[in-house]
DNA sequence: CTACCAAAGCTG
DNA sequence: CAGCTT
DNA sequence: GTAG
């Protein structure tokens, strides 16, 4: 799915004067229409969207509103499947003859009531609707029910103006109907610029028996998965994990993920403006200025507060030296593990996540800078001016802080957390191996909203690590207590000494080194004074821990260090300074302690007892002796720290 | 107003 | 090889 | 969103 769609005016034939666009075939009165992406190449899907938009078809992506489904659908069975997979229960309605006939031009077009009014209105306000993802659910929530309430004996969704108009989507007053139509129909209509009967292009017509309205509770995921996802590291295995789900789903899902892969190149840093147009006006998106909202109020307040204190800064603490010197690289300053402004920072991080999910990379960067800067500020903030003089922070940061200080929350964060679409995106984004892009794809092009949907429909299309990430979704999300991390580290250490000798060292890095009491994964750094002892140690370690039953899966294995250090030392002074961090061997693995307190008793009672211990994400890093210090730093600092260190090194 | 941007593994 | 993820 |  592309985030931005060209204006419909672009698609007009060159010879057509702008005004006459109203003379092109107007299908604005057909029911809300949804494109079925299955079997459509990205270009094709775009093409269809364009056409539909040009003919002013009320597009929707919301299954609960869609009545017409258009796509490359070969058979009735397929059509039913598409509907069923969208949680739509339907019963087929056999075609009456008149559906194929044309209307007898009874009343003059002008007298015709637009069905429901609201349906047409929903797009009428905007002749230039360019939304790729038309109307979000909240915008059109009630419109169609309004149309339903209108009880004209027979209320076909008539097409106005054009002479004998085929009755396209006829339905009895009280039934909710859906139609599945082949794209050919649209193409033919579009070609001759006239409405033609659906005829053979109507693949399926049905009455809605039940629509899913509330999201059902999630089943126990683990019980659904088949037992085997390959444990082997990806490099050594060519095919995917076994597929537990039936092949009827398989063939569909198979065809669906090929969507975005081969689409036209996007601009390097971000698409279009900041983020997708889909989120224009949302407070958690960029440049959302609604008059009278909290943000602008606090903006004024900020003005006031800062100017009030003009000239005297007696009650704000003296800036730390790095603030004075306007040092902009986080690596040049001391950043404590937990600072006095963490609460505020957590909120900023949420905004940053929101920006990630809406594909606003610039926003992500900007907030990362702000977060890093404030995290390094050693005092509890008391005045907006303090923020203003921190390098990397400006009006926006100060405004947010004032809002937070005054209200105890941030509107942008609340909106983000309450936004239903965002909730779905976050759900998917939390799967290890699924990034923002894929999360959006799951939701916006396939309309999956729960993990169950992925299990049922997407499973075969997920890559190996995503399958693992999904399988252990809950486990990976639960924080690892410090004691457990230490225990894991001690075992890794033990294996390291066994494989080499007792001089092997083990250091906790990452979140735990930074003093957190629990964190998402365990980062363990292994080293050894003998340089030759560290080479290939990672492979041996992983194998050993696998044998011992601790490592259940290897997500990735990176041998960058071993490879590099075998050759020349990366000591090209100035320019090569970028290397260093990543040139260490590392293994990202799934860890499960094979033992638990009542194990023998449990197994005696029931030999099939499952290991109750949670699966943990563990990163094992092997560093050659001379770079342990650097490695500790590298893995303990935040992302911005690392990035800044690279930039800093480049400049010096 | 424009530039900002880590490096490397995995998948298709 | 491009795109995505960590 | 911020810096230049």
């Amino acid at each position: 799915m592309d985030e931005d769609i060209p204006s419909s005016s672009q698609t007009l034939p060159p010879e057509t004067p702008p005004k006459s666009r109203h003379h092109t075939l107007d299908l604005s009165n057909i029911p809300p229409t949804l494109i079925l992406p299955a079997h459509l190449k990205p270009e094709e899907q775009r093409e269809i969207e364009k056409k539909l938009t040009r003919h002013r078809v009320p597009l929707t992506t919301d299954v609960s509103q869609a009545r017409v489904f258009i796509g490359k659908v070969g058979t009735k069975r397929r059509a039913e499947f598409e509907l069923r997979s969208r949680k739509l229960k339907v019963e087929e309605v056999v075609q009456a003859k008149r559906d194929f006939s044309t209307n007898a031009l009874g009343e003059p077009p002008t007298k015709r009531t637009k069905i429901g009014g609201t349906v047409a209105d929903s797009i009428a306000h905007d002749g230039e609707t360019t939304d790729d993802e038309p109307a979000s659910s909240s915008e059109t929530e009630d419109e169609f029910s309004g149309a339903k309430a209108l009880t004209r004996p027979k209320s076909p969704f008539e097409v106005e103006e054009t002479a004998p108009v085929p009755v396209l989507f006829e339905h009895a007053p009280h039934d909710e109907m859906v139609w599945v139509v082949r794209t050919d129909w649209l193409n033919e209509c579009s070609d001759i610029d006239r409405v033609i009967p659906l005829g053979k292009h109507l693949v399926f017509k049905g009455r809605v028996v039940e629509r899913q309205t509330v999201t059902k509770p999630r089943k126990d995921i683990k019980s659904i998965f088949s037992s085997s996802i390959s444990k082997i590291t990806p490099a050594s295995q060519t095919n995917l994990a076994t597929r537990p789900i039936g092949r009827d789903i398989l063939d569909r899902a198979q065809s669906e993920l090929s969507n975005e892969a081969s689409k036209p190149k996007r601009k390097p840093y971000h698409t279009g403006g900041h983020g997708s147009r889909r989120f224009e006006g949302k407070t958690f998106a960029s440049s959302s200025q609604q008059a009278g909202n909290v943000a602008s109020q606090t903006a004024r307040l900020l003005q006031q507060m800062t100017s009030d204190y003009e000239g005297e800064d007696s009650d704000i603490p003296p800036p730390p030296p790095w603030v004075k010197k306007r040092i902009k690289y986080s690596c040049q300053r001391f950043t404590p593990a937990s600072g006095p402004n963490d609460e505020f920072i957590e909120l900023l991080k949420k905004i940053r996540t929101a920006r990630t999910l809406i594909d606003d990379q610039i926003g992500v960067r900007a907030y990362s800078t702000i977060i890093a800067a404030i995290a390094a500020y050693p005092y509890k903030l008391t005045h907006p001016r303090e923020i203003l003089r921190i390098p990397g922070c400006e009006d926006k940061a100060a405004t947010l802080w004032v809002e937070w200080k005054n209200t105890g929350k941030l509107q942008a964060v609340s909106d983000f957390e309450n936004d239903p679409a965002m909730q779905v995106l976050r759900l998917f984004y939390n799967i290890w191996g699924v990034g923002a892009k894929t999360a959006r794809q799951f939701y916006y092009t396939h309309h999956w909203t729960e993990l169950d949907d992925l299990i049922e429909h997407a499973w075969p299309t997920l890559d190996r690590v995503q399958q693992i990430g999904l399988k252990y979704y809950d486990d990976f999300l639960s924080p690892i207590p410090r004691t457990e991390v230490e225990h894991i580290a001690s075992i890794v250490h033990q294996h390291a000494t066994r494989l080499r000798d007792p001089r092997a060292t083990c250091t906790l890095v990452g979140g735990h080194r930074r003093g957190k009491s629990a964190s998402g994964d365990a980062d363990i750094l292994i080293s050894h004074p003998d340089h030759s002892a560290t080479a290939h140690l990672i492979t041996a370690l992983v194998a050993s821990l696998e044998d011992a039953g601790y490592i259940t899966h290897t997500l990735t294995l990176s041998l960058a260090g071993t490879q590099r250090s075998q050759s020349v030392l990366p000591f090209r002074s100035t320019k090569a300074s970028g290397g260093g961090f990543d040139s260490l061997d590392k293994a990202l693995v799934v860890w499960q302690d094979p033992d638990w307190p009542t194990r023998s008793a449990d197994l005696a009672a029931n030999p099939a007892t499952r290991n109750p211990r949670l699966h943990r994400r563990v990163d094992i890093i092997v560093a050659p002796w001379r770079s342990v210090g650097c490695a500790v730093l590298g893995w303990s600092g935040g992302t911005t720290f690392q990035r800044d260190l690279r930039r800093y090194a480049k400049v010096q």
Side-chain angles (χ1 to χ4, degrees):
Chain A
M1 132 217 73
D2 246 287
E3 310 285 355
D4 294 285
I5 286 290
S7 150
S8 57
S9 58
Q10 283 182 345
T11 65
L12 286 174
E15 74 274 16
T16 314
K19 260 183 128 182
S20 71
R21 76 147 70 127
H22 299 294
H23 293 213
T24 59
L25 177 58
D26 182 0
L27 297 173
S28 57
N29 282 342
I30 75 174
T33 300
L34 183 148
I35 301 173
L36 298 170
H39 294 312
L40 289 175
K41 293 206 241 9
E43 315 86 67
E44 292 176 311
Q45 188 175 338
R46 260 189 94 114
E47 194 57 32
I48 292 165
E49 273 174 18
K50 262 195 215 163
K51 270 188 187 158
L52 291 171
T53 306
R54 177 156 31 121
H55 298 302
R56 312 187 58 189
V57 170
L59 276 170
T60 182
T61 54
D62 183 355
V63 187
S64 67
Q65 294 170 52
R67 298 297 117 110
V68 178
F69 298 79
I70 191 162
K72 244 189 201 170
V73 181
T75 64
K76 186 180 299 178
R77 185 193 166 307
R78 177 100 216 159
E80 287 178 300
F81 185 85
E82 292 285 347
L83 297 175
R84 191 161 12 106
S85 74
R86 285 171 170 75
K87 314 273 150 63
L88 249 183
K89 287 211 177 77
V90 292
E91 62 182 17
E92 188 183 0
V93 172
V94 184
Q95 285 307 298
K97 266 233 176 84
R98 63 170 176 272
D99 280 61
F100 295 87
S101 67
T102 49
N103 202 4
L105 183 58
E107 24 185 356
T110 46
K111 272 197 187 165
R112 293 202 182 157
T113 326
K114 283 185 183 174
I115 181 75
T118 48
V119 172
D121 288 349
S122 71
I123 58 163
H125 63 74
D126 180 8
E128 321 203 330
T129 301
T130 56
D131 282 342
D132 51 334
E133 308 296 341
S136 82
S137 60
S138 57
E139 284 167 272
T140 49
E141 190 90 79
D142 298 314
E143 286 164 3
F144 196 76
S145 53
K148 256 196 324 186
L150 185 130
T151 48
R152 212 148 50 111
K154 220 193 284 177
S155 28
F157 291 87
E158 291 147 331
V159 176
E160 48 180 4
E161 291 187 43
T162 338
V165 179
V167 175
L168 295 176
F169 303 103
E170 181 183 32
H171 67 77
H174 296 296
D175 284 334
E176 259 193 77
M177 303 296 288
V178 292
W179 297 262
V180 179
V181 181
R182 270 193 273 266
T183 51
D184 304 337
W185 173 75
L186 172 69
N187 293 332
E188 287 184 24
C189 290
S190 196
D191 287 347
I192 61 170
D193 211 40
R194 284 194 50 190
V195 184
I196 63 165
L198 296 173
K200 61 180 180 189
H201 302 309
L202 178 61
V203 185
F204 177 84
K205 176 180 176 183
R207 191 185 344 269
V208 176
V209 177
E210 187 188 326
R211 274 183 201 268
Q212 181 188 282
T213 41
V214 263
T215 40
K216 55 179 186 207
R218 188 149 59 86
K219 302 168 217 161
D220 173 18
I221 294 190
K222 288 176 194 167
S223 64
I224 301 169
F225 293 96
S226 80
S227 52
S228 63
I229 294 177
S230 168
K231 296 178 163 197
I232 324 286
T233 173
S236 56
Q237 76 151 44
T238 43
N239 53 350
L240 285 175
T242 40
R243 295 157 184 187
I245 313 291
R247 78 286 108 197
D248 51 19
I249 297 163
L250 191 146
D251 67 319
R252 180 175 142 255
Q254 200 85 13
S255 64
E256 286 186 357
L257 200 76
S258 58
N259 255 0
E260 191 142 332
S262 58
K263 73 177 193 186
K265 272 190 182 166
R266 55 176 53 206
K267 287 183 190 159
Y269 297 126
H270 59 92
T271 33
H274 283 206
S276 161
R277 297 197 54 187
R278 185 183 288 123
F279 301 101
E280 275 175 12
K282 299 290 173 77
T283 48
F284 48 81
S286 56
S287 61
S288 62
Q289 300 147 353
Q290 300 136 333
N293 68 3
V294 183
S296 64
Q297 282 172 345
T298 49
R300 277 194 295 278
L301 188 56
L302 172 64
Q303 294 278 353
Q304 212 180 327
M305 286 182 77
T306 51
S307 56
D308 277 353
Y309 282 77
E310 203 65 74
E312 51 150 326
D313 38 2
S314 48
D315 46 345
I316 68 178
W322 60 266
V323 171
K324 261 206 177 97
K325 291 187 194 151
R326 309 231 24 113
I327 284 171
K328 57 187 172 185
Y329 298 125
S330 60
C331 54
Q332 290 174 275
R333 64 203 180 210
F334 172 70
T335 306
S338 70
N341 302 298
D342 281 355
E343 229 185 299
F344 179 51
I345 289 172
E346 286 311 306
L347 294 175
L348 293 177
K349 285 183 180 169
K350 287 181 180 175
I351 300 184
R352 188 229 258 143
T353 306
R355 296 306 177 88
T356 305
L357 293 176
I358 67 178
D359 196 21
D360 172 13
Q361 295 168 274
I362 299 301
V364 171
R365 180 149 299 120
Y367 275 94
S368 298
T369 309
I370 296 174
I371 289 166
I374 296 183
Y377 192 74
Y379 314 109
K380 197 164 178 82
L381 290 162
T382 49
H383 194 289
R385 292 194 66 171
E386 287 176 82
I387 296 189
L388 257 12
R389 60 185 191 193
I390 297 176
C393 296
E394 263 296 315
D395 289 21
K396 185 60 192 245
T399 307
L400 287 171
W401 183 82
V402 172
E403 182 190 348
W404 174 70
K405 205 64 190 168
N406 287 334
T407 68
K409 61 189 194 62
L410 294 180
Q411 193 59 46
V413 172
S414 316
D415 288 352
F416 164 56
E417 290 183 329
N418 292 329
D419 188 294
M422 286 295 130
Q423 287 168 7
V424 175
L425 292 182
R426 246 184 336 172
L427 177 79
F428 293 155
Y429 182 63
N430 281 334
I431 300 171
W432 202 91
V434 172
K437 185 99 181 183
T438 308
R440 281 195 296 274
Q441 188 137 92
F442 286 165
Y443 180 51
Y444 288 115
T445 97
H446 301 295
H447 314 290
W448 296 322
T449 56
E450 328 168 25
L451 298 183
D452 279 346
D453 292 333
L454 301 186
I455 294 164
E456 283 172 45
H457 307 300
W459 186 259
T461 73
L462 300 178
D463 64 38
R464 200 186 63 104
V465 298
Q466 289 170 334
Q467 291 179 341
I468 295 170
L470 185 49
K471 181 165 180 176
Y472 302 119
Y473 187 86
D474 294 320
D475 286 12
F476 288 175
L477 240 42
S478 93
I480 315 178
R482 191 181 181 83
T483 53
E484 189 176 340
V485 177
E486 282 160 357
H487 180 239
I488 293 172
S490 74
I491 290 168
V492 177
H493 188 201
Q494 181 187 318
H495 280 247
T497 48
R498 192 176 306 160
L499 287 165
R500 295 296 187 258
D501 61 68
R503 291 176 298 159
T505 65
C506 172
T507 316
L508 283 184
V509 290
H512 289 89
R513 189 188 164 79
R514 295 202 297 272
K516 294 167 82 173
S517 59
S519 66
D521 54 11
D523 301 293
I524 294 157
L525 176 69
I526 299 290
S527 190
H528 193 282
D530 182 357
H531 182 252
S532 63
T534 53
H536 301 108
L537 176 56
I538 194 78
T539 322
L541 258 181
V542 169
S544 170
L545 289 164
E546 230 168 51
D547 287 345
Y550 288 102
I551 291 179
T552 62
H553 306 269
T554 303
L555 294 167
T556 69
L557 194 56
S558 163
L559 302 166
T562 302
Q563 283 171 347
R564 205 166 303 193
S565 64
Q566 294 303 64
S567 52
V568 203
L569 297 184
F571 196 57
R572 275 294 300 158
S573 67
T574 37
K575 278 189 179 170
S577 44
F581 279 150
D582 296 313
S583 65
L584 305 166
D585 292 341
K586 70 182 166 198
L588 313 187
V589 303
V590 180
W591 180 284
Q592 188 187 36
D593 195 323
D595 195 26
W596 66 95
T598 58
R599 177 179 165 149
S600 38
D602 287 352
L603 289 179
N606 175 9
T609 310
R610 283 172 44 92
N611 182 345
R613 306 211 96 123
L614 296 181
H615 292 79
R616 301 303 200 180
R617 277 273 309 100
V618 175
D619 294 0
I620 302 173
I621 301 134
V622 175
W625 194 248
R626 64 168 192 281
S627 36
V628 255
C630 198
V632 171
L633 271 182
W635 257 276
S636 302
T639 314
T640 308
F641 178 93
Q642 297 188 34
R643 194 164 49 223
D644 281 357
L645 185 49
R646 289 170 218 270
R647 276 202 291 158
Y648 174 74
K650 213 183 280 185
V651 173
Q652 303 299 306

